[in-house]
Amino acid sequence: MSGERADTLAPPGSGRDAGRALLEVRDLRVRFSRGGRRVHAVNGLSYRLNAGEILAIIGESGSGKSVSARTLMGLLPPSAQVSGSARFEGTELLGMPEREMRGWRGAEIAMVFQDPARSLNPTMRIGAQITEAIRAHSDMSRKQAAARAVELLKLVHLPAAERRFYEYPHQLSGGMRQRVVIAIALAGEPRLLIADEATTALDVTTQAQIMELLLELQQRLGMAIILISHDLGLAASYAKNVVVMYAGRAVEYASAEELFAHVRMPYTQALLGAIPLLEREPHALLPVIPGQPPDPAALPAGCPFRPRCAAATDACLEPPPFEEHEPGHWWACWHPAKDPAEDPARDPGEPGGAHARPVKDGVQG
Amino acid sequence: MTVALDRRYRSVPARLFGSPAFRMVGKRLLMAIPIMLGVSVLTFWVLNLIPGNAAQQLLGAEATPEQIRALEAQMGLNEPAVSRYFDWLGGAVTGDLGRSFVSGQDVAGQLGERLTVSAELTGLALIASVALAVPVALLAARRPDGLFDRVSMFVSVSGLSVASYVLALVLVLVFAVRFAVLPAIGYVPFAEDPVENLRGMVLPATAIAVPLFCFYTRFLRGDLVDQLQGQDYIVTAQAKGIGPWQVLLRHAFRNSSFGLITVVGLNLSTLIGSTVIIESIFAIPGLGQLMLQAINTRDVLVVQACVIVFAVVTVLANLITDLLYAVLDPRIRYGSG
């Protein structure tokens, strides 16, 4: 039903200046059946990622961003039903037999997870956990793999790498553990690294260090990175392109600069408004998006953001198509925000929009 | 620089003696002393409360009060309980557990003999149950709700709902009476005839092992599935591209083994209880049988010694459990933080 539409629709990112596509996701849908309830986690997600680029996928928890990433690696529970297409250099990843998929995991696509305290095996030495990843995709001897593991630990700037090789995860700090998780991800020299909220569990200083590390590795090793986050500010600082997800679908796609300069989708606008800014008055209420993200088991008809959107009208009962309205800028909205340049009522200095702003901030007045 | 790395792996004994675990052993053994004292006082007191004593039991119902009093005096049973207890305690600390009222044999010697028999029986049952439960649980956890999982679940639930003495009688009926392939009763010392000894152990050990096997299988399978479905480090391992068995064995099983060890350690003390029944059914001259006979004849010193041995085994089982944690779990071995 939705298949024929996806075929005629080139995914975002395949514009004029599109380079060699590393990953092309088209109309990805993931559904879970839980206790008789159907949970629609991803509802037709499309994007394209070029080799060596950083793409950010932004959304609230439950927006389907992590599920969509795990789908690429075939790491979903057996109850998941997946449709659509995800081609990695032309090879279809979805529906690939488990045995074949194993050859791609770690070797072509690797993943870094949210909580480094939980993503390492507490009973295994750091070294053993890295060499296991190395030896999964090479025929190195134990000794060679150990030497390579120490190299990797140095590559992620883990202090005293030789000593850490013999330590256990609980002997390391959170930031150091995340470096180890990144070293494991690099073990198979992947061309795509998925960082799934990789800095969320870390304190702010460590967050910045880990992001800098990812950026450095991306430039040194020429890897592409999918940066999954709820933090639009983070995405803007590091990603080339940004996909904003809501209720399992893409609602806006643009380059990071374009998105910040000309935000269109009211949801993105509201997200931008919710970023704390130093310029704001002290003790001013931080704008929040009213309401709750929709229950993925009972999505509203039409635009999923309609119940929370200040600009919503009856037109929004019809689902807005996700289309390229301006070159390189895609959105799904019947009432996109106007360009700040064309809209003198808005304060051009601040990225946030009227929809997310409580009256107290007084921008409307 | 990286070549010399391998030498830093320390051997297991080196880890043990240099670690907090070694200090823990000392502390635990010291703590065992008040436990032993408490257990012995309690046993002595309870046996004292039960009407009738060894003299009455030996002489039978026909005996005259004079005869009983005479024998009581000869056995020292006419002395107050407190002084008898301290007499016993004084001997016990020097390793002299007294002589049996009934057989006149040295209690310590008798105990040693019986203990080897019981240890063989429970040891065989424990090893067999764990050795079978681990592969079955791993196969079941490999595909939760798969055919093997369902079959093993059915078997283990059935096995758990059968009491071990019922199972023992069924085993005797099938293998000793109907097919006559294994002896129903009796015990041949291992040194005399190892083959006969093991043949005699098969049925009683099976009767003890089956419920244990079922319990361990269910427990380990459940824990493995929890690890596989709920733990992030499993996803990390899968994302490396390693095979499902490697994920199961190196990652999930290693973490699940702590739970299994706890359960086995706790089971060990209840295991002693089940040997009492099984040894009686199969006429195996073990500790359980000895204690049962001694209680019937009010052979206080023998009961006392048996109870102390059971207490020691329980303390040691808990100690070994904790030590195994220390060997397996680096968070305990090196202290947290």
Side-chain angles (χ1 to χ4, degrees):
Chain A
M1 29 156 211
S2 47
E4 72 262 28
R5 203 193 76 182
D7 279 325
T8 55
L9 182 79
S14 41
R16 297 149 301 160
D17 59 348
R20 194 168 59 98
L22 182 70
L23 176 71
E24 210 172 301
V25 175
R26 278 184 188 221
D27 197 38
L28 177 68
R29 285 164 198 272
V30 184
R31 205 170 62 189
F32 297 96
S33 296
R34 247 177 237 151
R37 271 165 38 113
R38 276 195 179 158
V39 178
H40 298 265
V42 183
N43 295 303
L45 176 67
S46 302
Y47 60 83
R48 181 185 153 113
L49 172 65
N50 292 329
E53 273 180 17
I54 300 184
L55 173 79
I57 300 182
I58 302 299
E60 285 170 282
S61 39
S63 60
K65 51 196 196 307
S66 292
V67 172
S68 70
R70 288 193 181 195
T71 312
L72 299 179
M73 294 189 79
L75 289 176
L76 291 179
S79 68
Q81 290 165 284
V82 180
S83 69
S85 154
R87 289 177 177 275
F88 189 91
E89 289 199 321
T91 309
E92 182 58 54
L93 295 174
L94 305 186
M96 189 184 269
E98 166 66 22
R99 191 174 283 274
E100 200 182 324
M101 191 74 227
R102 230 179 286 150
W104 290 73
R105 282 186 206 134
E108 300 290 345
I109 311 175
M111 207 158 175
V112 177
F113 302 93
Q114 175 165 354
D115 186 355
R118 292 167 46 86
S119 49
L120 290 169
N121 185 336
T123 61
M124 276 172 81
R125 289 173 200 271
I126 301 298
Q129 302 195 43
I130 303 174
T131 49
E132 180 182 57
I134 295 169
R135 283 160 59 91
H137 300 291
S138 72
D139 38 18
M140 279 193 207
S141 71
R142 274 176 193 285
K143 228 173 203 156
Q144 286 171 315
R148 172 80 183 128
V150 173
E151 252 175 57
L152 285 170
L153 288 175
K154 285 180 177 162
L155 187 67
V156 298
H157 307 301
L158 190 76
E162 283 93 351
R163 182 158 60 83
R164 300 299 181 197
F165 185 89
Y166 292 99
E167 290 189 343
Y168 288 91
H170 74 273
Q171 292 168 291
L172 270 54
S173 71
M176 291 202 289
R177 281 182 211 160
Q178 196 62 306
R179 287 176 194 272
V180 171
V181 176
I182 292 170
I184 290 173
L186 296 179
E189 294 170 19
R191 276 177 296 167
L192 171 61
L193 182 74
I194 302 172
D196 186 359
E197 299 270 13
T199 60
T200 306
L202 304 171
D203 66 74
V204 182
T205 325
T206 318
Q207 252 180 34
Q209 289 167 356
I210 294 294
M211 281 314 304
E212 287 304 325
L213 172 66
L214 287 177
L215 198 65
E216 180 198 323
L217 293 170
Q218 178 251 344
Q219 280 157 4
R220 250 171 93 172
L221 308 174
M223 283 186 307
I225 295 181
I226 294 183
L227 207 62
I228 295 174
S229 177
H230 61 279
D231 185 345
L232 199 49
L234 185 95
S237 335
Y238 295 97
K240 180 167 183 281
N241 296 308
V242 180
V243 179
V244 179
M245 277 185 83
Y246 189 79
R249 61 196 81 183
V251 293
E252 187 156 12
Y253 170 92
S255 70
E257 307 98 69
E258 167 69 14
L259 191 71
F260 275 77
H262 311 288
V263 63
R264 296 298 189 185
M265 171 71 194
Y267 174 64
T268 317
Q269 209 172 32
L271 275 184
L272 283 168
I275 299 174
L277 294 172
L278 282 176
E279 301 91 76
R280 243 181 225 141
E281 294 244 333
H283 307 297
L285 279 181
L286 196 61
V288 292
I289 307 176
Q292 293 287 321
D295 178 359
L299 290 176
C303 172
F305 189 55
R306 177 176 50 86
R308 304 171 78 185
C309 183
T313 62
D314 283 351
C316 303
L317 286 167
E318 196 60 31
F322 182 59
E323 279 169 357
E324 189 172 19
H325 296 279
E326 286 168 15
H329 197 152
W330 297 57
W331 64 80
C333 185
W334 296 119
H335 309 291
K338 293 214 164 52
D339 223 311
E342 306 156 19
D343 183 4
R346 279 179 60 202
D347 179 355
E350 286 194 43
H355 307 293
R357 191 131 311 183
V359 189
K360 193 175 172 196
D361 249 54
V363 177
Q364 302 249 271
Chain B
M1 202 179 201
T2 54
V3 187
L5 288 176
D6 289 38
R7 248 173 268 149
R8 287 200 219 164
Y9 280 113
R10 292 196 298 159
S11 64
V12 170
R15 269 186 223 153
L16 271 183
F17 289 113
S19 72
F22 191 61
R23 257 177 288 138
M24 183 190 75
V25 176
K27 224 190 278 177
R28 286 300 199 74
L29 291 179
L30 283 177
M31 261 164 54
I33 294 172
I35 293 173
M36 301 296 144
L37 280 175
V39 165
S40 65
V41 167
L42 217 63
T43 319
F44 211 87
W45 183 57
V46 169
L47 284 174
N48 215 42
L49 285 180
I50 302 174
N53 60 27
Q56 287 163 351
Q57 295 294 327
L58 275 179
L59 293 170
E62 313 283 290
T64 62
E66 287 76 32
Q67 285 175 308
I68 292 172
R69 261 195 296 280
L71 190 57
E72 277 179 355
Q74 197 193 323
M75 287 174 160
L77 288 173
N78 54 351
E79 280 176 54
V82 177
S83 75
R84 275 188 286 134
Y85 177 75
F86 280 104
D87 270 355
W88 173 82
L89 190 63
V93 291
T94 61
D96 175 17
L97 294 172
R99 289 190 170 275
S100 161
F101 293 145
V102 180
S103 64
Q105 275 184 299
D106 177 43
V107 173
Q110 214 176 354
L111 215 61
E113 251 170 60
R114 299 295 190 115
L115 188 60
T116 1
V117 178
S118 288
E120 188 192 349
L121 180 60
T122 47
L124 285 173
L126 201 68
I127 289 166
S129 56
V130 174
L132 277 174
V134 168
V136 170
L138 285 169
L139 279 167
R142 170 72 186 88
R143 286 187 209 289
D145 295 324
L147 183 67
F148 190 89
D149 189 28
R150 283 165 197 269
V151 171
S152 76
M153 188 66 92
F154 176 76
V155 170
S156 52
V157 171
S158 329
L160 272 176
S161 25
V162 178
S164 66
Y165 51 88
V166 176
L167 186 69
L169 296 176
V170 172
L171 286 173
V172 168
L173 202 65
V174 175
F175 293 100
V177 179
R178 184 83 179 78
F179 295 106
V181 284
L182 290 164
I185 54 163
Y187 171 79
V188 180
F190 190 81
E192 228 171 73
D193 186 346
V195 178
E196 265 318 297
N197 165 280
L198 288 176
R199 270 169 50 86
M201 282 292 173
V202 171
L203 292 184
T206 308
I208 299 175
V210 165
L212 288 179
F213 158 77
C214 295
F215 182 60
Y216 297 158
T217 304
R218 287 208 62 185
F219 178 85
L220 184 59
R221 181 261 175 207
D223 203 58
L224 283 170
V225 172
D226 282 352
Q227 301 281 340
L228 287 172
Q229 294 180 347
Q231 295 295 332
D232 288 353
Y233 68 83
I234 294 291
V235 187
T236 309
Q238 288 169 335
K240 290 174 188 175
I242 59 176
W245 280 109
Q246 211 175 342
V247 173
L248 195 60
L249 289 170
R250 290 192 77 179
H251 295 272
F253 179 56
R254 187 130 192 210
N255 282 278
S256 285
S257 63
F258 304 131
L260 183 68
I261 286 168
T262 314
V263 168
V264 172
L266 287 173
N267 258 188
L268 209 57
S269 35
T270 57
L271 200 57
I272 299 162
S274 58
T275 63
V276 175
I277 300 165
I278 297 296
E279 283 174 0
S280 300
I281 293 174
F282 290 94
I284 290 175
L287 213 53
Q289 202 198 35
L290 177 71
M291 187 167 82
L292 215 60
Q293 288 165 353
I295 291 171
N296 284 333
T297 56
R298 304 288 187 274
D299 199 348
V300 182
L301 298 188
V302 174
V303 178
Q304 186 76 290
C306 288
V307 171
I308 296 285
V309 169
F310 288 167
V312 171
V313 169
T314 307
V315 169
L316 283 182
N318 288 333
L319 183 63
I320 291 167
T321 310
D322 287 346
L323 280 178
L324 275 176
Y325 281 151
V327 173
L328 286 172
D329 192 340
R331 285 163 297 186
I332 296 174
R333 197 187 313 148
Y334 294 103
S336 275

